[in-house]
Amino acid sequence: LITSQQKIIGVIQIINAKTKSGKIREFTEKDKIYVNFFANNASVAIEKAKMTRDIILRMIKMAELRDPKETGNHVNRVASYSIEIYEKWAKNKNIDWKEIKKVKDNLRIAAMLHDVGKVAISDTILKKPGKLDYNEYEIMKKHTIYGARLFDGGSEWDSMAADVAINHHEKWDGTGYPGFIDNIYNDNYKIIKNKKGDEISIYG
């Protein structure tokens, strides 16, 4: 499998061409055309997936650089806890293992980006050595909304990442933030009410 940059990105092994009756036969020139077509498509798909993964990892690194408290260890720990909790919850709900595995793969990356909205918070607040005052804390709380705004791509993963970003400071007893927002894209948004219990997204 060769990329557009002429780099080998993987290998496909094709074995045992068979007749309709199941007898092993030699590969034909027509078979080679099909395999080349499949290999080219597979190379493009893998290259795009790798590019997407690299961009996401750079976003994580960017968030780490902005916030001295946001270390690689922290984001990896959050991701690990998140998928363990999700798996236990999903098994209790008798969710199919294929679905669990798919969600876990997406949730790991989404959870690593939980604090990416902090890139929109001023350094004066983000890197303040002491305790934040009331107004500073209210601004800091907006990182959940800024993070959710970044994931407006419409894909299943975008929805999950937005859920994680906006809900990761919610609390079961309703004392978390930001709660239900009327419009996250309006800077003068209104908080309708707090979220609690099952009102909080499972990904959050």
Side-chain angles (χ1 to χ4, degrees):
L1 305 179
I2 300 171
T3 69
S4 57
Q5 303 295 315
Q6 299 304 303
K7 292 181 180 176
I8 294 173
I9 201 168
V11 176
I12 295 178
Q13 182 183 30
I14 309 293
I15 58 172
N16 294 346
K18 294 181 180 180
T19 64
K20 288 182 179 178
S21 62
K23 186 178 177 182
I24 293 173
R25 63 167 176 81
E26 290 183 3
F27 287 103
T28 65
E29 288 303 312
K30 192 175 180 181
D31 291 332
K32 291 177 186 177
I33 292 170
Y34 283 131
V35 170
N36 277 325
F37 178 75
F38 179 78
N40 287 335
N41 283 328
S43 297
V44 169
I46 292 169
E47 190 175 16
K48 285 184 177 177
K50 186 177 182 303
M51 182 174 66
T52 301
R53 182 179 179 276
D54 288 346
I55 289 169
I56 290 169
L57 291 175
R58 285 189 191 107
M59 286 177 70
I60 293 166
K61 190 67 180 172
M62 179 179 65
E64 287 177 30
L65 291 171
R66 284 279 286 116
D67 183 1
K69 298 171 191 166
E70 190 78 353
T71 64
N73 285 339
H74 170 67
V75 296
N76 279 304
R77 207 164 35 240
V78 168
S80 295
Y81 286 146
S82 297
I83 61 172
E84 290 299 323
I85 293 167
Y86 169 76
E87 183 176 339
K88 182 71 174 174
W89 173 87
K91 282 180 177 175
N92 285 342
K93 297 281 185 182
N94 295 315
I95 292 173
D96 181 71
W97 172 245
K98 277 188 181 177
E99 178 66 16
I100 292 174
K101 188 176 184 309
K102 181 178 131 188
V103 169
K104 281 176 65 177
D105 289 343
N106 288 331
L107 183 56
R108 177 181 289 278
I109 301 295
M112 290 175 80
L113 285 162
H114 68 281
D115 268 345
V116 74
K118 285 183 178 178
V119 297
I121 304 296
S122 160
D123 276 355
T124 310
I125 295 171
L126 197 61
K127 299 182 179 180
K128 182 177 177 179
K131 188 176 179 180
L132 301 178
D133 64 29
Y134 175 81
N135 289 329
E136 290 168 337
Y137 184 54
E138 287 301 302
I139 292 169
M140 177 63 94
K141 282 161 50 170
K142 291 182 179 181
H143 81 274
T144 55
I145 293 162
Y146 296 145
R149 286 177 183 177
L150 287 172
F151 304 109
D152 191 22
S155 73
E156 192 176 346
W157 183 83
D158 279 309
S159 296
M160 180 186 290
D163 262 350
V164 169
I166 203 162
N167 288 299
H168 74 275
H169 278 288
E170 297 292 357
K171 295 182 180 178
W172 192 257
D173 65 0
T175 61
Y177 65 84
F180 287 102
I181 305 292
D182 63 343
N183 182 359
I184 68 167
Y185 298 102
N186 183 347
D187 286 333
N188 297 314
Y189 62 81
K190 291 186 177 65
I191 298 170
I192 299 166
K193 65 169 190 168
N194 290 346
K195 288 182 187 176
K196 64 180 179 179
D198 288 327
E199 292 174 335
I200 305 164
S201 156
I202 184 61
Y203 303 133

